[in-house]
Amino acid sequence: MSQRASLTAMGRSLCCDKVGIKKGPWTPEEDIVLVSYIQKHGPGNWRSVPTNTGLMRCSKSCRLRWTNYLRPGIKRGNFTPHEEGLIIHLQSMLGNKWAAIASYLPQRTDNDIKNYWNTHLKKKVEKNQVGNASIAYNIDGARNSHVSMLPISNCGSSTYASNMENISGLLQRWTRSSQKKTDPAQNQDLKCHGFQDDQGNCDTVSDREVGTSVPFEVESPSEARLCGAQHHSLTVLENWLLDEAVGIVDVTGISTGLCPDGVY
DNA sequence: AACTTGCGCAACCGCCAGTCG
DNA sequence: GCGACTGGCGGTTGCGCAAGT
């Protein structure tokens, strides 16, 4: 009998089996609640997170959301050729030990690396096992680089993205997809939801942090539509941003204070 | 324009190891 | 030593989107 079956038989509910536990994609509101809580209490003791925050998520889900998406310093998007080479090289040495591999790429999560391997690199490597030229190049790229083959534990780098960027990115995609569902014809109007500089350019939240941008005004019908289902989340986010601006929520503290030694 | 297919990625699931009482 | 519990990890799934037909 499996552990799960035996536990269930004994009557103890597993965390994600509990009634009322929400599943599926996280909303910006939930992200903000989670980030605010962790900013106050620090990561860890995940068991208490859902109870203390009121989030209808299991502790595991909270931890995963934080480590894979919200925590400071996560670099998203394209992997560089150097990163590719490093992953290929490490995978050949360590196997599918994604957590171990991720420790060499502190800006990437194990989940990201795993996904990238499964969707890109695996095929690439398999393809190139017939002719090894490309792999050799990539591995050499990793070997010839200045990257030490020791886990990096520096979290203070300026290359680290902030939670704010992660959340604003999520919000952009979330509002875009919600918009698409309700009114596909207006997709073109919905360029971004963040902050606009004085030239009217859309900026990331981090740009606003240097004080050059102003919050969006709702001027067009398409923007006004945001005042429907997404109004609440935008209001919450913007209030939070304003709080951050006056120091109630210390966003920069999340980026630096919670990572004294680079270990999460 | 409508439909299909493939891809990317966030999130979930199940298992395992460590810790605590 | 044992069972309960938590956190961590790797594998897998499912949804949304873009490209192709």
Side-chain angles (χ1 to χ4, degrees):
Chain A
M1 187 190 266
S2 70
Q3 185 189 24
R4 179 188 172 86
S6 62
L7 289 172
T8 309
M10 287 193 297
R12 181 165 67 85
S13 59
L14 293 166
C15 78
C16 295
D17 290 339
K18 283 179 184 168
V19 182
I21 293 296
K22 192 181 166 192
K23 291 184 181 180
W26 281 65
T27 64
E29 289 101 322
E30 289 175 312
D31 284 341
I32 289 164
V33 169
L34 183 59
V35 170
S36 300
Y37 179 83
I38 292 171
Q39 195 267 329
K40 255 185 195 164
H41 300 92
N45 195 10
W46 296 106
R47 176 78 177 154
S48 65
V49 173
T51 359
N52 293 344
T53 58
L55 286 168
M56 303 304 284
R57 298 278 182 173
C58 71
S59 55
K60 248 183 172 181
S61 184
C62 294
R63 182 177 58 80
L64 231 52
R65 183 63 181 169
W66 171 257
T67 54
N68 286 338
Y69 205 88
L70 297 174
R71 76 174 159 88
I74 295 176
K75 184 172 146 193
R76 313 204 71 81
N78 296 343
F79 281 71
T80 64
H82 164 67
E83 286 175 317
E84 274 190 20
L86 201 53
I87 293 167
I88 291 169
H89 181 57
L90 289 167
Q91 202 278 339
S92 71
M93 291 197 310
L94 304 171
N96 294 355
K97 302 290 178 191
W98 306 118
I101 293 171
S103 68
Y104 293 89
L105 293 125
Q107 298 178 334
R108 302 289 188 179
T109 68
D110 53 355
N111 207 37
D112 251 3
I113 293 170
K114 181 171 60 181
N115 280 336
Y116 192 67
W117 172 265
N118 286 332
T119 53
H120 293 92
L121 300 180
K122 198 174 170 182
K123 290 169 197 164
K124 215 172 188 176
V125 168
E126 280 168 2
K127 202 174 170 184
N128 284 318
Q129 261 163 0
V130 184
N132 278 327
S134 172
I135 297 174
Y137 169 79
N138 282 327
I139 292 173
D140 284 349
R143 283 178 177 158
N144 293 338
S145 75
H146 299 295
V147 169
S148 158
M149 292 307 282
L150 291 169
I152 301 159
S153 62
N154 171 23
C155 72
S157 164
S158 61
T159 60
Y160 275 19
S162 71
N163 311 53
M164 298 304 296
E165 289 171 76
N166 292 339
I167 292 174
S168 73
L170 175 81
L171 185 60
Q172 283 180 34
R173 286 192 298 150
W174 184 65
T175 49
R176 200 165 45 221
S177 65
S178 303
Q179 178 79 359
K180 214 165 193 175
K181 277 177 191 166
T182 52
D183 192 357
Q186 299 297 328
N187 291 345
Q188 298 308 311
D189 295 341
L190 202 58
K191 292 194 175 90
C192 65
H193 306 285
F195 292 87
Q196 223 169 11
D197 65 18
D198 44 14
Q199 273 84 48
N201 300 316
C202 296
D203 289 333
T204 62
V205 176
S206 60
D207 290 329
R208 175 179 168 267
E209 286 171 359
V210 298
T212 58
S213 306
V214 295
F216 280 158
E217 297 293 334
V218 176
E219 289 174 344
S220 67
S222 60
E223 285 170 346
R225 260 187 294 279
L226 291 169
C227 299
Q230 291 91 51
H231 174 75
H232 177 61
S233 58
L234 283 173
T235 305
V236 170
L237 181 65
E238 287 183 5
N239 283 342
W240 191 60
L241 293 170
L242 289 169
D243 288 347
E244 182 270 327
V246 296
I248 297 170
V249 177
D250 180 12
V251 178
T252 54
I254 300 171
S255 301
T256 57
L258 294 178
C259 187
D261 57 5
V263 176
Y264 281 98

